[in-house]
């Protein structure tokens, strides 16, 4: 991502080169792999089925507590949440939020010794899927509060004093928000402008503006990322702070409105000379980005949780509608053009739940490093849920485009199909856009290569360093490459336990995953050999590599879940059928992606883009009027006192 042009540089914005930005991002990521990772091994051509099969299970006590909470939450969702009202009024009623507080929903992930419920990741995600089906805005509120808000960073990095002071409040009464993004800073945090200047030894003074502060309009506590200036003997850097939302100098200047998730309390927050006690700093100075990224390792699982809930709802509506809607003498479900869409929704929902539950259970057990699995779950879930919602709208036809209120007004069932399409769209942007997730996962996927060969392609390394790296890389690849030639996926009876009597055969799909994993690793190696230092610019190629890995992970999870359900539920045979359908659909997508690794228009697209930006094709824009308003592309975020009224309204 290139540095901004000088004439676009907002006042006070740090000027950062591309290399500096990459260094900041690299320093923030976890450098080591202390635990095994199924997905990391998959990208290296090693299909470690033993890491996910048999499917891990929650302890009985955790499951019983989780199910008990879900029962109460379901009753609340059915009787107390009016999703249509939230959509209509663009607000979550205070009484609804207070009801969630009384249930303990603010403390689902907070330990019981602090007044929380102490639910596992598995049951926290099930709760989000449930409440998100009643109102996606409420799902977002609870997720932002616990997945990325104050509780999770404190759980991972807070002092005991901080936990004692804040977690009891967050478990029962106080809503939290996470503030990182700024008007001109999205996925490039090296340019973060909000400052935290030390004021003696016991406080910092915050100045700056934060954008898209989910929960920020109603929050009581904020986790804020700000830059501490470098001084003699103090490296400074991006640092995390807990800030009281009603502190003097904190102003919510605007409540944002969006195409979906109406009711989302998301705004613009200004900090002007805000004094924050040094005791509220989370971790050391300069550790803010690492804290944020580590928090997201499991925090990202909240989004696919709500995507699973959306898929289940899409399936329910598609089934009910397609059975009663007749065209040409039979229900539309029996027409192949519609039936294929229903099959896609059913199979994909099964796979998404498999990916989510597997990743969540692995997070709970803490035996594996799941940073790639969680990122893949977020990426795959957000993309596939959007496709499922789009197919539901198509199945519903004109009624899919019509609002629920309009349907009800003319006497039909109020089905908010168009709303779920709008609500799900943000998931491809929230907590790392699809494009950023591709790059993030690709960086982790090639980590082993960069560890042994990174110095060879690093322009800052000396010739002697490159020579040493060459020797190290030669040894690594001499051992690794021969293992990519053959494997158990070429043996006809491998994974035979996935072909029990009377059930669809899933063993062939797992053999395909093993073979394709090795092919994926060979393709990655070939690409690194071909492009070397330019590899990081081949974002189209890297994105396809990641998408292939996502399909392989989803197929693996679907098969393992089907086998689990065969041994624990009465619908194991049906689960095998859905897993088979998903794997067959997924294999077609995977083969297309494999072909597009080397047959694509990436280079041509780059030339066209250069032409567009240089004005070569402006003649193509003739014949329209632009309804956009006037104003700058990016709002001025110069630090200073607030000019707007404070629209902060905490729930009481």
């Amino acid at each position: 991502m290139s540095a901004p042009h000088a004439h676009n540089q907002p006042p006070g914005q740090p000027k950062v080169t591309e290399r500096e930005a990459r260094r900041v991002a690299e320093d923030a990521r976890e450098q080591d792999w202390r635990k095994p990772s199924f997905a990391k091994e998959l990208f290296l051509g090693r299909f470690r089925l033993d890491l996910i099969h048999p499917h891990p299970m929650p302890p009985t006590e955790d499951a019983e507590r989780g199910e008990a909470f879900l029962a109460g939450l379901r009753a609340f969702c059915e009787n107390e949440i009016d999703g249509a009202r939230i959509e209509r009024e663009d607000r979550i009623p205070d009484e609804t939020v207070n009801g969630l507080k009384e249930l303990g929903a603010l403390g689902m992930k907070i330990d019981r010794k602090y007044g929380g419920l102490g639910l596992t990741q598995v049951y926290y995600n099930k709760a989000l899927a449930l409440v998100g089906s009643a109102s996606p805005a409420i799902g977002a509120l609870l997720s932002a509060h616990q997945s990325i808000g104050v509780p999770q960073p404190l759980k991972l990095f807070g002092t005991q004093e901080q936990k004692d002071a804040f977690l009891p409040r967050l478990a029962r009464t106080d809503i939290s928000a996470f503030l990182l993004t700024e008007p001109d800073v999205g996925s490039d945090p090296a340019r973060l402008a909000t400052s935290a200047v030390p004021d003696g030894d016991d406080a910092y003074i915050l100045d700056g503006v934060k954008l898209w502060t989910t929960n920020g309009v109603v929050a009581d506590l904020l986790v804020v990322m700000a830059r501490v200036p470098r001084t003699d003997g103090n490296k400074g850097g991006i640092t995390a702070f807990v800030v009281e939302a009603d502190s003097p100098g904190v102003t919510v200047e605007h409540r944002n409105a969006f195409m979906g998730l109406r009711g989302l309390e998301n705004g613009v927050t200004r900090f002007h000379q805000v004094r924050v006690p040094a005791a509220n700093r989370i971790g050391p100075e300069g550790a803010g980005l690492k804290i944020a990224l580590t928090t997201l390792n499991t925090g990202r699982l909240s989004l696919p949780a709500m995507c699973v809930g959306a898929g289940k709802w899409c399936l329910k509506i598609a089934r009910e509608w397609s059975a009663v809607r007749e065209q040409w003498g039979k229900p539309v479900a029996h027409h192949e053009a519609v039936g294929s869409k229903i099959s896609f929704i059913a199979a994909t929902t099964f796979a998404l739940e498999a990916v989510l539950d597997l990743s969540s259970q692995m997070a709970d057990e803490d035996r594996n490093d799941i940073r790639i699995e969680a990122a893949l779950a977020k990426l795959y879930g957000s993309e596939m849920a959007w496709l499922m919602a789009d197919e539901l709208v198509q199945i519903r036809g004109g009624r899919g485009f019509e609002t629920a209120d309009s349907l009800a007004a003319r006497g039909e069932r109020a089905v908010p199909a168009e709303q779920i399409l709008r609500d799900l769209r943000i998931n491809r942007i929230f907590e790392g856009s699809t494009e950023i997730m591709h790059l993030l996962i690709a960086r982790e996927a090639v980590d082993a290569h960069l560890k042994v060969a990174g110095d060879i392609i690093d322009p800052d390394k000396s010739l002697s360093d490159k020579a040493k790296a060459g020797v190290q890389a030669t040894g690594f690849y001499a051992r690794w490459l021969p293992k990519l030639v053959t494997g158990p996926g070429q043996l006809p009876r491998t994974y035979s336990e996935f072909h029990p009597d009377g059930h669809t055969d899933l063993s062939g799909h797992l053999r395909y995953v093993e073979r394709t994993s090795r092919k994926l690793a060979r393709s990655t190696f070939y690409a690194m050999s071909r492009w070397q230092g330019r590899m990081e610019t081949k974002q189209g190629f890297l994105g396809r590599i990641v998408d292939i890995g996502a399909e392989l992970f989803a197929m693996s999870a679907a098969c393992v879940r089907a086998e689990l359900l065969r041994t624990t539920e009465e619908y194991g045979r049906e689960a095998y059928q859905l897993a088979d359908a998903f794997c067959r659909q997924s294999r077609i997508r995977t083969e297309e992606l494999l072909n597009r690794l080397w047959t694509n228009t990436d280079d041509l697209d780059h030339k066209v883009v250069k032409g567009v930006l240089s004005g070569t094709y402006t003649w193509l824009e003739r014949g329209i009027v632009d309804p956009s308003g006037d104003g700058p592309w990016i709002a001025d975020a110069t630090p200073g006192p607030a000019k707007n009224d404070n629209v902060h309204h905490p729930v009481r």
Side-chain angles (χ1 to χ4, degrees):
M1 192 176 296
S2 299
H5 297 298
H7 65 270
N8 285 335
Q9 192 83 24
Q13 185 73 51
K15 294 184 179 180
V16 179
T17 67
E18 183 174 1
R19 185 170 296 178
E20 289 170 337
R22 293 184 184 279
R23 186 178 66 247
V24 168
E26 183 64 18
D27 289 344
R29 61 177 290 273
E30 292 181 72
Q31 302 292 328
D32 298 318
W33 296 84
R34 300 181 183 88
K35 298 173 184 176
S37 165
F38 173 80
K40 175 176 175 283
E41 294 293 303
L42 199 65
F43 281 108
L44 285 171
R46 300 191 285 249
F47 181 46
R48 291 287 307 279
L49 185 62
D50 60 295
L51 294 177
I52 61 172
H53 174 68
H55 195 294
M57 294 292 288
T60 301
E61 180 189 354
D62 289 343
E64 290 174 348
R65 287 194 299 110
E67 292 294 342
F69 174 72
L70 287 180
L73 182 62
R74 173 175 289 278
F76 184 85
C77 290
E78 291 174 343
N79 301 316
E80 306 296 333
I81 294 179
D82 186 345
R85 177 187 173 188
I86 294 170
E87 175 74 3
R88 188 166 54 250
E89 297 180 358
D90 195 19
R91 298 273 182 182
I92 302 171
D94 284 1
E95 60 266 27
T96 303
V97 178
N98 286 326
L100 290 166
K101 291 180 180 181
E102 291 173 10
L103 273 177
L106 293 188
M108 287 187 284
K109 283 196 72 181
I110 297 175
D111 196 287
R112 285 183 286 176
K113 66 183 177 183
Y114 299 111
L117 299 180
L119 296 186
T120 63
Q121 186 74 40
V122 169
Y123 278 95
Y124 171 65
N125 286 339
K126 288 181 183 294
L128 288 179
L130 175 60
V131 77
S133 67
S135 167
I138 293 179
L141 181 145
L142 294 176
S143 169
H145 166 66
Q146 291 170 89
S147 297
I148 58 173
V150 179
Q152 191 69 4
L154 286 189
K155 175 183 177 181
L156 296 173
F157 299 98
T159 64
Q160 191 59 54
E161 291 76 15
Q162 289 171 337
K163 294 175 183 178
D164 291 339
F166 296 121
L167 289 182
R169 293 168 55 184
L170 293 161
R172 291 292 175 183
T173 59
D174 287 16
I175 296 172
S176 71
F178 173 78
L179 280 63
L180 171 63
T181 304
E182 297 177 1
D184 196 36
V185 178
S187 299
D188 182 9
R191 297 164 58 237
L192 198 79
T194 297
S195 63
V197 178
D199 184 26
D201 294 330
D202 63 345
Y204 293 83
I205 303 299
L206 263 62
D207 280 283
V209 178
K210 294 294 185 180
L211 176 63
W212 296 325
T213 60
T214 298
N215 288 359
V217 180
V218 297
D220 304 284
L221 287 169
L222 316 171
V223 57
V224 181
M225 297 293 167
R227 184 183 301 278
V228 176
R230 183 192 302 269
T231 59
D232 291 340
N234 185 347
K235 71 173 186 177
I238 298 172
T239 306
F241 299 89
V242 178
V243 180
E244 300 278 0
D246 61 358
S247 299
V250 179
T251 305
V252 180
E253 294 192 318
H254 179 70
R255 181 179 186 267
N256 300 320
F258 302 99
M259 69 180 284
L261 286 186
R262 293 173 184 167
L264 190 71
E265 296 291 355
N266 180 297
V268 178
T269 301
R270 178 177 292 272
F271 298 91
H272 176 59
Q273 296 291 292
V274 178
R275 184 178 174 84
V276 179
N280 285 21
R281 188 189 72 217
I282 308 175
E285 291 182 0
L289 278 186
K290 181 161 292 209
I291 289 171
L293 290 176
T294 305
T295 297
L296 281 172
N297 279 347
T298 55
R300 282 196 177 97
L301 290 173
S302 62
L303 283 185
M306 287 181 281
C307 290
V308 167
K312 289 173 178 285
W313 183 80
C314 288
L315 179 60
K316 179 179 185 293
I317 297 301
R319 172 179 58 82
E320 294 176 349
W321 166 249
S322 300
V324 300
R325 173 61 165 169
E326 291 194 357
Q327 291 282 279
W328 297 299
K330 58 184 177 181
V332 293
H334 296 305
H335 291 285
E336 190 174 277
V338 174
S340 63
K341 299 179 187 300
I342 298 172
S343 174
F344 167 74
I345 293 172
T348 304
T349 298
F350 178 84
L352 288 191
E353 188 167 39
V355 166
L356 177 70
D357 279 6
L358 179 61
S359 301
S360 301
Q361 188 58 49
M362 288 196 293
D364 286 329
E365 291 191 343
D366 201 28
R367 286 189 296 113
N368 294 346
D369 186 324
I370 66 154
R371 74 183 87 159
I372 300 182
E373 286 85 345
L376 286 172
K378 188 274 177 188
L379 168 69
Y380 197 70
S382 60
E383 289 292 326
M384 300 307 277
W386 164 257
L387 291 176
M388 287 191 288
D390 188 53
E391 293 289 40
L392 176 65
V393 168
Q394 194 70 17
I395 291 169
R396 288 275 290 162
R399 290 172 175 85
F401 194 66
E402 191 173 359
T403 67
D405 280 351
S406 177
L407 289 164
R410 60 182 186 78
E412 292 194 1
R413 185 173 299 187
V415 178
E418 60 83 28
Q419 180 191 334
I420 199 169
L421 191 66
R422 289 188 286 103
D423 289 342
L424 284 171
R425 185 59 183 84
I426 188 57
N427 290 338
R428 298 172 64 204
I429 300 171
F430 258 169
E431 296 179 19
S433 69
T434 290
E435 293 73 24
I436 292 300
M437 296 306 297
H438 277 151
L439 299 182
L440 183 152
I441 297 168
R443 171 61 186 87
E444 301 297 351
V446 301
D447 185 56
H449 299 280
L450 293 179
K451 273 183 165 47
V452 299
D455 286 355
I456 299 175
I457 60 177
D458 188 340
D460 294 332
K461 296 297 181 181
S462 66
L463 289 176
S464 61
D465 287 336
K466 291 178 184 290
K468 292 176 184 176
V471 173
Q472 183 181 9
T474 299
F476 171 79
Y477 289 119
R479 295 187 301 272
W480 178 66
L481 285 172
K483 297 177 181 178
L484 301 182
V485 178
T486 62
Q490 291 167 290
L491 302 176
R493 296 193 57 79
T494 311
Y495 314 119
S496 58
E497 66 268 33
F498 288 86
H499 189 192
D501 289 342
H503 291 68
T504 305
D505 184 6
L506 299 182
S507 65
H509 299 310
L510 292 176
R511 290 194 293 273
Y512 174 84
V513 171
E514 195 279 335
R515 293 193 305 273
T516 308
S517 171
R518 286 186 282 110
K519 185 174 183 178
L520 184 64
R522 293 195 301 268
S523 297
T524 304
F525 171 74
Y526 174 67
M528 290 195 67
S529 303
R530 176 179 175 181
W531 291 314
Q532 298 189 18
R534 293 187 296 126
M535 179 78 161
E536 65 183 18
T537 69
K538 301 298 181 179
Q539 295 179 1
F541 177 89
L542 292 172
R544 294 177 198 110
I545 287 286
V546 169
D547 286 339
I548 293 167
E551 295 285 1
L552 299 181
F553 179 40
M555 280 189 266
S556 304
C559 292
V560 169
R561 181 173 180 80
E563 175 60 13
L564 170 68
L565 295 179
R566 183 185 71 84
T567 59
T568 59
E569 303 287 352
E570 69 274 10
Y571 43 82
R573 184 173 285 102
E574 292 78 11
Y576 258 67
Q577 292 168 356
L578 286 173
D580 178 56
F582 172 77
C583 288
R584 290 178 185 275
Q585 295 169 9
S586 178
R587 287 170 68 163
I588 292 172
R589 293 191 294 266
T590 301
E591 288 300 311
E592 180 182 352
L593 287 164
L594 286 167
N595 290 335
R596 289 179 58 210
L597 285 178
W598 310 111
T599 305
N600 53 65
T601 60
D602 291 349
D603 291 340
L604 176 60
D605 294 341
H606 182 64
K607 294 177 182 177
V608 172
V609 169
K610 290 175 67 175
V612 169
L613 295 182
S614 67
T616 301
Y617 309 125
T618 52
W619 50 267
L620 191 57
E621 301 166 10
R622 297 172 192 162
I624 62 165
V625 294
D626 183 355
S628 307
D630 296 328
W633 286 104
I634 299 170
D636 181 14
T638 304
K643 299 176 183 177
N644 300 335
D645 293 337
N646 191 358
V647 297
H648 180 234
H649 62 279
V651 178
R652 295 289 181 257

